[in-house]
Amino acid sequence: MDLKLLFTTFATIFLAELGDKTQLATLSFAADSKSPIAVFLGSAGALVFTSLLAVLFGAVLSKWVPANYVKTGAGVLFVLIGLWMILVQER
């Protein structure tokens, strides 16, 4: 196992997730809940499953598309979603 890649991935995802809508939704569920363990397990399970889907999709996609195109495409998609969010909020 590539430990450098493991820790780099962990640090990047950890920092990216701080304060995002998923964390805020989880905070909200936990505040309303009498069972914080259920909220934790549901939230953690969802994050693990979406990460699994991303890894599987990325592994399959990399067989046909060079990694730099995947990274560029992901970056462009991220910017487009951000612009869309800004435009939707202005309405």
Side-chain angles (χ1 to χ4, degrees):
M1 177 181 292
D2 185 346
L3 290 180
K4 182 179 178 185
L5 180 59
L6 174 80
F7 291 121
T8 300
T9 303
F10 177 86
T12 302
I13 300 302
F14 181 81
L15 292 174
E17 291 295 320
L18 286 178
D20 80 338
K21 64 185 181 303
T22 303
Q23 188 180 38
L24 295 174
T26 302
L27 182 137
S28 177
F29 280 123
D32 287 341
S33 172
K34 301 265 189 273
S35 180
I37 297 297
V39 173
F40 170 74
L41 292 174
S43 175
L47 185 57
V48 167
F49 186 66
T50 58
S51 295
L52 174 66
L53 291 176
V55 168
L56 293 175
F57 185 69
V60 169
L61 190 62
S62 71
K63 293 180 181 182
W64 294 290
V65 180
N68 61 327
Y69 290 168
V70 173
K71 290 177 185 178
T72 300
V76 168
L77 185 59
F78 189 76
V79 169
L80 290 174
I81 290 170
L83 290 172
W84 180 72
M85 298 274 299
I86 290 169
L87 293 173
V88 168
Q89 281 186 352
E90 291 182 4
R91 292 183 186 182

